[in-house]
Amino acid sequence: MKLFGIFAAVLLSVAPLVQADSGGAGADRHYHALRPDAHAPIGVMGDHTHGEGEFMLSYRYMFMNMQGNRSGTSGVSTAEVLSQYMVSPTEMDMEMHMLGMMYAPADWFTFMTMVPIIDMTMDHKTRMGGSFRTSSSGLGDIRFTGLTRVYEGSGQRVHLNTGVSVPSGDTDVRDDTPAGADMVLPYPMQLGSGTVDLLPGITYLGQSGRISWGAQANGNIRTGRNDDGYSLGDEFSGTFWAAYQMSDAASFSFRNEYTNRGNIDGADSRLNPMMVPTADPGLRGGESYRFGFGLNFLVPEGALKGMRVAAEYLVPVYQDLDGPQLETDAVWVFGAQYSF
Ligand SMILES: [Cu+2]
């Protein structure tokens, strides 16, 4: 992750330099923004830029279902987890509502902000044979990102994503558990990181005929520790996709996504890692590889020109987790976007 930090710092520092190159290239074979597949599959954030003076409002709904535990690449039964811990998580559902706004003050720069509202539940079994559910909901960490176009030509675009996540999400969420009433919940049930996080990235888009494609690499680098004494692990993800434009209004896509998440540095002293694996800062990391299938729809003309709706389904095909840790079974993303 140190290396990735250096990579991010380089990206941030070259952004204004490379920008000077972006004017004028390939005006005859420009990238067509008004086609359904000009936006990436809806699970990809910060995938596109806008023309000067354009606004976009968006809403995304994400649902993630996690069932059963895994350690490394193999499943671990609830009974096995309970042989080591008093409590085992069995299932977690996460819903996220994401409100987004984009505005481009210039063709080469688009500003983006995303506000997440999160709703989570976690089900558990205890060694004594009981079961219980905890829940948490509220505002997550708000993100501000600048998208700087560094290349446009021959139906291709490249932009740099330079973002920051502010700690607006609560890290002191509490609920009742068998250990007591109103206890601080373990790490995965908290709504924010509690730290200022840097979000560097680079995005590539291409089109030719009815086919389009793209790739994006992203980091999430935590700075310092939060006031509960820890920082979440850094994250890195890389994704690439291809889409086929069926008509002026519809396209479908296939996507691959790799994500790597580190373990937690430090620890929240209010949690007991001997009790339940979700309270162990060393059991949060892992890597996963997902395959996604998506549909994009666009209103190409008329009163609602620029209105988009999209859906994507992602299924993990490989997960290697520092466990026991809940594994992801499926992710759904639905979105609506309107630019004007
Ligand atoms: Cu947009």
Side-chain angles (χ1 to χ4, degrees):
M1 278 303 132
K2 273 271 168 348
L3 263 181
F4 190 74
I6 293 165
F7 169 70
V10 170
L11 274 189
L12 287 165
S13 58
V14 299
L17 303 177
V18 188
Q19 194 284 121
D21 268 355
S22 69
D28 51 332
R29 297 186 60 197
H30 58 270
Y31 185 88
H32 298 278
L34 200 67
R35 46 186 274 183
D37 55 334
H39 285 197
I42 192 72
V44 182
M45 315 284 162
D47 60 296
H48 64 272
T49 53
H50 285 273
E52 181 175 335
E54 251 179 17
F55 279 93
M56 188 183 88
L57 297 175
S58 67
Y59 167 73
R60 274 187 182 82
Y61 171 79
M62 191 187 85
F63 175 73
M64 179 160 69
N65 175 245
M66 308 173 91
Q67 280 185 52
N69 288 278
R70 179 176 288 233
S71 191
T73 55
S74 40
V76 179
S77 70
T78 302
E80 287 174 279
V81 179
L82 290 175
S83 69
Q84 301 171 63
Y85 298 89
M86 292 299 292
V87 173
S88 172
T90 54
E91 178 170 359
M92 178 174 177
D93 284 337
M94 179 186 191
E95 285 181 289
M96 199 190 297
H97 306 271
M98 259 178 292
L99 303 171
M101 197 276 286
M102 295 175 90
Y103 171 67
D107 281 342
W108 62 269
F109 187 79
T110 297
F111 174 76
M112 176 174 82
T113 179
M114 303 210 72
V115 179
I117 311 291
I118 301 170
D119 210 326
M120 296 184 282
T121 59
M122 194 182 281
D123 295 317
H124 310 74
K125 285 210 159 35
T126 69
R127 194 181 282 175
M128 309 304 287
S131 61
F132 68 101
R133 166 177 284 192
T134 56
S135 57
S136 78
S137 62
L139 178 65
D141 291 340
I142 298 173
R143 295 176 163 206
F144 302 95
T145 303
L147 310 172
T148 308
R149 185 180 302 169
V150 294
Y151 176 77
E152 166 141 37
S154 307
Q156 297 174 90
R157 282 180 170 177
V158 178
H159 66 258
L160 300 179
N161 304 51
T162 43
V164 65
S165 162
V166 299
S168 48
D170 195 353
T171 59
D172 303 309
V173 178
R174 293 167 178 268
D175 202 353
D176 298 342
T177 75
D182 206 32
M183 303 293 285
V184 171
L185 293 180
Y187 305 106
M189 292 298 282
Q190 296 299 329
L191 298 168
S193 68
T195 50
V196 171
D197 304 329
L198 304 179
L199 308 168
I202 184 166
T203 307
Y204 163 71
L205 305 171
Q207 290 176 340
S208 182
R210 289 183 167 274
I211 306 289
S212 65
W213 59 89
Q216 186 181 66
N218 275 310
N220 187 341
I221 295 153
R222 323 291 178 175
T223 64
R225 283 194 180 176
N226 61 29
D227 55 15
D228 299 313
Y230 67 93
S231 63
L232 295 181
D234 291 340
E235 293 173 10
F236 170 78
S237 69
T239 185
F240 64 92
W241 63 92
Y244 179 77
Q245 184 190 17
M246 295 180 278
S247 70
D248 286 353
S251 64
F252 67 85
S253 62
F254 295 104
R255 183 156 78 93
N256 291 284
E257 182 185 63
Y258 168 81
T259 60
N260 185 313
R261 180 175 61 196
N263 278 311
I264 291 171
D265 278 332
D268 187 332
S269 59
R270 300 168 299 182
L271 300 175
N272 179 1
M274 308 301 279
M275 182 81 80
V276 57
T278 49
D280 187 332
L283 298 181
R284 299 305 314 149
E287 56 180 353
S288 76
Y289 185 77
R290 292 173 184 170
F291 184 74
F293 175 73
L295 287 169
N296 283 6
F297 299 96
L298 164 72
V299 180
E301 55 198 327
L304 286 175
K305 180 179 170 179
M307 178 78 197
R308 292 168 171 273
V309 292
E312 190 177 24
Y313 173 69
L314 291 141
V315 60
V317 290
Y318 174 83
Q319 293 180 83
D320 184 355
L321 306 177
D322 296 333
Q325 186 182 149
L326 284 175
E327 63 178 46
T328 301
D329 289 281
V331 182
W332 285 94
V333 188
F334 299 94
Q337 302 172 322
Y338 183 60
S339 49
F340 51 97

